[in-house]
Amino acid sequence: MARPGSATPRVLNLWKAGLSSVPSEAWQRDDWEVLILADNALTEIPAAPLGRLRALHTLDLGHNALTALPDEIGELTGLTRFLYLHDNRLTALPDSLGDLDRLGYLNVGENPLGALPAALGRMAGMVELRAQRAELTSLPDTLGRLGRLRELWLGGNALTALPASMAALRELRVLELRDNALSGVPDALRALPLRRIDLRGNRIETLPPWIARLPSLEKLDLRWNSVDDGAEAVSALRERGCVVLT
């Protein structure tokens, strides 16, 4: 029961409802705050009615069969908390996504994207970005504009390098890069306040000396690389209490 004087959250939960299209009830009101359409068989989202849902703060479209998103997704100016787009068939993200400049969490993983749009850099409110297993071979330079970003999950791609602009991510605490194609620890990380770095399953053989001087680093996962367990940087990190897995 809602407390006296409190507002009842306006939530429409159609999770695992066996849907092949969005039902009309989703568009019968424009004041939904949470819309969950995950784990269905949706192939498209109608553009016009979606753009009217300006009160949404959370939208879950994960685990469907979407091949594209309407540009109108950028009109969801109230979207501040979560946007789940993972596990679809998206090959590109619309530039209008960059208009969601107050969104805190975005998951676009498990889509055959190949690339992230430069417009991502306009999403200044982003705190956590997940783009795992998205067939990425590079990242846009604009990623460095996400000054509030604290967690970045990029595992299961084909990245060989990170953009130098990432050196500006001065709030970044967690970086997940497992199962990529990195041959070394990217130099862009040397001044960041990282606490956890996951580099499992890359092609790294040696560590730069500066990694032992990252003052906030608590855990470094180097398993399934070729880094010597007795390397000087590994020993230095362990001596100060950092967990290093090789």
Side-chain angles (χ1 to χ4, degrees):
M1 178 181 297
R3 298 189 305 274
S6 66
T8 302
R10 296 180 289 275
V11 177
L12 179 58
N13 187 349
L14 296 172
W15 174 68
K16 276 192 176 180
L19 304 174
S20 59
S21 61
V22 182
S24 59
E25 65 180 298
W27 319 124
Q28 287 173 356
R29 53 192 295 179
D30 59 9
D31 61 348
W32 295 120
E33 295 178 347
V34 177
L35 177 57
I36 301 173
L37 294 166
D39 283 281
N40 286 292
L42 303 177
T43 58
E44 64 177 356
I45 302 295
L50 178 68
R52 295 199 301 264
L53 304 183
R54 305 293 177 85
L56 276 184
H57 62 64
T58 295
L59 176 60
D60 190 348
L61 298 173
H63 304 296
N64 277 289
L66 301 175
T67 57
L69 295 174
D71 287 337
E72 284 76 6
I73 198 166
E75 297 176 12
L76 303 180
T77 53
L79 210 57
T80 57
R81 299 187 186 178
F82 301 96
L83 176 56
Y84 298 95
L85 299 170
H86 57 290
D87 191 19
N88 277 281
R89 300 173 186 172
L90 301 172
T91 57
L93 299 172
D95 285 346
S96 62
L97 202 65
D99 296 333
L100 304 179
D101 58 1
R102 297 193 297 153
L103 182 65
Y105 174 100
L106 174 63
N107 190 339
V108 297
E110 298 175 78
N111 284 286
L113 291 171
L116 298 176
L120 193 77
R122 304 205 311 269
M123 303 178 77
M126 189 77 66
V127 174
E128 183 171 341
L129 173 61
R130 291 180 177 252
Q132 296 146 299
R133 297 175 293 282
E135 301 183 14
L136 304 178
T137 57
S138 63
L139 299 172
D141 288 338
T142 55
L143 188 68
R145 299 176 187 172
L146 302 182
R148 295 184 60 191
L149 196 66
R150 294 178 65 89
E151 297 192 19
L152 180 57
W153 298 75
L154 295 167
N157 287 295
L159 299 173
T160 59
L162 300 181
S165 65
M166 281 187 58
L169 299 180
R170 296 308 176 93
E171 295 295 324
L172 195 63
R173 301 295 190 269
V174 176
L175 179 59
E176 192 259 0
L177 287 164
R178 66 174 296 177
D179 299 326
N180 275 281
L182 298 169
S183 59
V185 181
D187 198 57
L189 309 182
R190 66 186 305 160
L192 300 185
L194 287 160
R195 294 177 183 171
R196 288 187 286 145
I197 307 175
D198 188 345
L199 290 166
R200 282 176 287 176
N202 279 275
R203 302 170 184 174
I204 300 171
E205 296 182 358
T206 60
L207 297 177
W210 55 259
I211 201 166
R213 298 191 292 271
L214 290 178
S216 302
L217 194 60
E218 299 170 356
K219 182 177 180 180
L220 175 62
D221 199 333
L222 294 165
R223 287 175 289 175
W224 312 312
N225 285 282
S226 300
V227 177
D228 185 354
D229 188 65
E232 184 176 347
V234 171
S235 298
L237 285 167
R238 286 174 174 161
E239 285 175 6
R240 66 172 178 81
C242 179
V243 175
V244 183
L245 304 176
T246 60

mmCIF file of all heavy atoms in Angstrom, residues 44 54 64 76 90 108 113 116 135 147 159 176 181 185 202 206 235 241-242:
data_model
loop_
_atom_site.group_PDB
_atom_site.id
_atom_site.type_symbol
_atom_site.label_atom_id
_atom_site.label_comp_id
_atom_site.label_asym_id
_atom_site.label_seq_id
_atom_site.Cartn_x
_atom_site.Cartn_y
_atom_site.Cartn_z
ATOM 1 N N GLU A 44 10.407 -4.568 -33.800
ATOM 2 C CA GLU A 44 10.431 -3.119 -34.006
ATOM 3 C C GLU A 44 9.666 -2.410 -32.892
ATOM 4 O O GLU A 44 8.822 -3.018 -32.219
ATOM 5 C CB GLU A 44 9.837 -2.743 -35.371
ATOM 6 C CG GLU A 44 8.367 -3.092 -35.521
ATOM 7 C CD GLU A 44 7.809 -2.632 -36.855
ATOM 8 O OE1 GLU A 44 8.551 -1.990 -37.612
ATOM 9 O OE2 GLU A 44 6.638 -2.919 -37.121
ATOM 10 N N ARG A 54 7.487 10.921 -22.433
ATOM 11 C CA ARG A 54 8.506 11.831 -21.891
ATOM 12 C C ARG A 54 8.737 11.648 -20.392
ATOM 13 O O ARG A 54 9.693 12.181 -19.845
ATOM 14 C CB ARG A 54 8.101 13.284 -22.169
ATOM 15 C CG ARG A 54 7.829 13.600 -23.645
ATOM 16 C CD ARG A 54 9.089 13.516 -24.479
ATOM 17 N NE ARG A 54 8.825 13.735 -25.887
ATOM 18 C CZ ARG A 54 8.766 14.939 -26.461
ATOM 19 N NH1 ARG A 54 8.936 16.028 -25.734
ATOM 20 N NH2 ARG A 54 8.522 15.045 -27.755
ATOM 21 N N ASN A 64 15.312 -9.089 -27.081
ATOM 22 C CA ASN A 64 14.291 -9.129 -28.112
ATOM 23 C C ASN A 64 14.955 -9.427 -29.454
ATOM 24 O O ASN A 64 16.033 -10.019 -29.498
ATOM 25 C CB ASN A 64 13.501 -7.819 -28.139
ATOM 26 C CG ASN A 64 12.394 -7.785 -27.096
ATOM 27 O OD1 ASN A 64 11.394 -8.479 -27.224
ATOM 28 N ND2 ASN A 64 12.577 -6.967 -26.058
ATOM 29 N N LEU A 76 13.024 10.996 -25.544
ATOM 30 C CA LEU A 76 12.679 10.551 -24.188
ATOM 31 C C LEU A 76 13.533 11.301 -23.170
ATOM 32 O O LEU A 76 14.396 10.745 -22.501
ATOM 33 C CB LEU A 76 12.875 9.042 -24.066
ATOM 34 C CG LEU A 76 12.088 8.174 -25.054
ATOM 35 C CD1 LEU A 76 12.375 6.705 -24.818
ATOM 36 C CD2 LEU A 76 10.597 8.458 -24.941
ATOM 37 N N LEU A 90 20.701 -5.333 -33.198
ATOM 38 C CA LEU A 90 21.006 -3.977 -33.652
ATOM 39 C C LEU A 90 22.359 -3.932 -34.342
ATOM 40 O O LEU A 90 23.360 -4.393 -33.798
ATOM 41 C CB LEU A 90 20.996 -3.018 -32.460
ATOM 42 C CG LEU A 90 19.685 -2.918 -31.675
ATOM 43 C CD1 LEU A 90 19.876 -2.089 -30.415
ATOM 44 C CD2 LEU A 90 18.576 -2.319 -32.541
ATOM 45 N N VAL A 108 24.197 -1.729 -24.253
ATOM 46 C CA VAL A 108 23.980 -2.028 -25.678
ATOM 47 C C VAL A 108 24.708 -3.309 -26.074
ATOM 48 O O VAL A 108 24.899 -3.588 -27.253
ATOM 49 C CB VAL A 108 24.438 -0.863 -26.578
ATOM 50 C CG1 VAL A 108 23.628 0.381 -26.302
ATOM 51 C CG2 VAL A 108 25.938 -0.583 -26.395
ATOM 52 N N LEU A 113 26.899 -4.591 -33.386
ATOM 53 C CA LEU A 113 27.018 -3.170 -33.713
ATOM 54 C C LEU A 113 28.229 -2.852 -34.591
ATOM 55 O O LEU A 113 28.150 -2.056 -35.520
ATOM 56 C CB LEU A 113 27.088 -2.343 -32.427
ATOM 57 C CG LEU A 113 25.811 -2.291 -31.592
ATOM 58 C CD1 LEU A 113 26.084 -1.625 -30.249
ATOM 59 C CD2 LEU A 113 24.715 -1.546 -32.343
ATOM 60 N N LEU A 116 30.400 2.107 -32.029
ATOM 61 C CA LEU A 116 29.540 2.982 -31.230
ATOM 62 C C LEU A 116 29.526 4.355 -31.885
ATOM 63 O O LEU A 116 30.545 4.805 -32.401
ATOM 64 C CB LEU A 116 30.062 3.093 -29.798
ATOM 65 C CG LEU A 116 30.101 1.801 -28.985
ATOM 66 C CD1 LEU A 116 30.737 2.057 -27.621
ATOM 67 C CD2 LEU A 116 28.713 1.216 -28.818
ATOM 68 N N GLU A 135 30.915 -6.733 -31.070
ATOM 69 C CA GLU A 135 31.721 -6.777 -32.288
ATOM 70 C C GLU A 135 32.469 -5.461 -32.547
ATOM 71 O O GLU A 135 32.678 -5.058 -33.685
ATOM 72 C CB GLU A 135 30.852 -7.165 -33.492
ATOM 73 C CG GLU A 135 30.185 -8.524 -33.317
ATOM 74 C CD GLU A 135 29.367 -8.966 -34.521
ATOM 75 O OE1 GLU A 135 29.507 -8.359 -35.611
ATOM 76 O OE2 GLU A 135 28.574 -9.925 -34.386
ATOM 77 N N GLY A 147 32.513 12.604 -18.698
ATOM 78 C CA GLY A 147 33.255 12.960 -17.495
ATOM 79 C C GLY A 147 32.725 12.381 -16.198
ATOM 80 O O GLY A 147 33.429 12.374 -15.195
ATOM 81 N N LEU A 159 38.878 -5.238 -29.634
ATOM 82 C CA LEU A 159 39.633 -3.994 -29.481
ATOM 83 C C LEU A 159 41.134 -4.273 -29.415
ATOM 84 O O LEU A 159 41.594 -5.146 -28.677
ATOM 85 C CB LEU A 159 39.193 -3.275 -28.209
ATOM 86 C CG LEU A 159 37.719 -2.866 -28.137
ATOM 87 C CD1 LEU A 159 37.378 -2.323 -26.749
ATOM 88 C CD2 LEU A 159 37.391 -1.830 -29.208
ATOM 89 N N GLU A 176 36.362 -3.044 -17.641
ATOM 90 C CA GLU A 176 36.351 -4.453 -18.011
ATOM 91 C C GLU A 176 36.670 -4.580 -19.493
ATOM 92 O O GLU A 176 35.936 -4.072 -20.340
ATOM 93 C CB GLU A 176 34.984 -5.068 -17.688
ATOM 94 C CG GLU A 176 34.970 -6.592 -17.763
ATOM 95 C CD GLU A 176 34.364 -7.119 -19.050
ATOM 96 O OE1 GLU A 176 33.945 -6.305 -19.892
ATOM 97 O OE2 GLU A 176 34.303 -8.335 -19.217
ATOM 98 N N ALA A 181 41.699 -7.931 -27.947
ATOM 99 C CA ALA A 181 42.937 -8.242 -28.673
ATOM 100 C C ALA A 181 44.035 -7.243 -28.323
ATOM 101 O O ALA A 181 44.859 -6.898 -29.173
ATOM 102 C CB ALA A 181 42.671 -8.266 -30.171
ATOM 103 N N VAL A 185 48.890 -2.844 -21.985
ATOM 104 C CA VAL A 185 47.965 -2.048 -21.171
ATOM 105 C C VAL A 185 47.921 -0.642 -21.763
ATOM 106 O O VAL A 185 48.958 0.021 -21.865
ATOM 107 C CB VAL A 185 48.426 -1.993 -19.702
ATOM 108 C CG1 VAL A 185 47.437 -1.192 -18.866
ATOM 109 C CG2 VAL A 185 48.582 -3.403 -19.137
ATOM 110 N N ASN A 202 43.543 -11.405 -23.214
ATOM 111 C CA ASN A 202 44.079 -10.538 -24.253
ATOM 112 C C ASN A 202 45.426 -11.101 -24.735
ATOM 113 O O ASN A 202 45.661 -12.307 -24.617
ATOM 114 C CB ASN A 202 44.189 -9.105 -23.732
ATOM 115 C CG ASN A 202 42.868 -8.366 -23.786
ATOM 116 O OD1 ASN A 202 42.492 -7.802 -24.804
ATOM 117 N ND2 ASN A 202 42.125 -8.360 -22.674
ATOM 118 N N THR A 206 53.816 -7.999 -21.298
ATOM 119 C CA THR A 206 54.529 -7.202 -20.302
ATOM 120 C C THR A 206 53.633 -6.087 -19.777
ATOM 121 O O THR A 206 52.667 -5.686 -20.438
ATOM 122 C CB THR A 206 55.809 -6.578 -20.890
ATOM 123 O OG1 THR A 206 55.453 -5.719 -21.994
ATOM 124 C CG2 THR A 206 56.767 -7.657 -21.377
ATOM 125 N N SER A 235 54.732 -7.835 -8.616
ATOM 126 C CA SER A 235 55.210 -7.921 -7.237
ATOM 127 C C SER A 235 54.954 -6.626 -6.478
ATOM 128 O O SER A 235 54.527 -6.658 -5.313
ATOM 129 C CB SER A 235 56.708 -8.242 -7.229
ATOM 130 O OG SER A 235 56.957 -9.496 -7.843
ATOM 131 N N GLY A 241 49.123 -4.581 -1.436
ATOM 132 C CA GLY A 241 47.791 -5.095 -1.120
ATOM 133 C C GLY A 241 46.853 -5.248 -2.286
ATOM 134 O O GLY A 241 45.700 -5.651 -2.092
ATOM 135 N N CYS A 242 47.295 -4.955 -3.488
ATOM 136 C CA CYS A 242 46.448 -5.119 -4.657
ATOM 137 C C CYS A 242 46.373 -6.598 -5.038
ATOM 138 O O CYS A 242 47.388 -7.303 -5.052
ATOM 139 C CB CYS A 242 47.004 -4.308 -5.839
ATOM 140 S SG CYS A 242 46.041 -4.458 -7.366
#
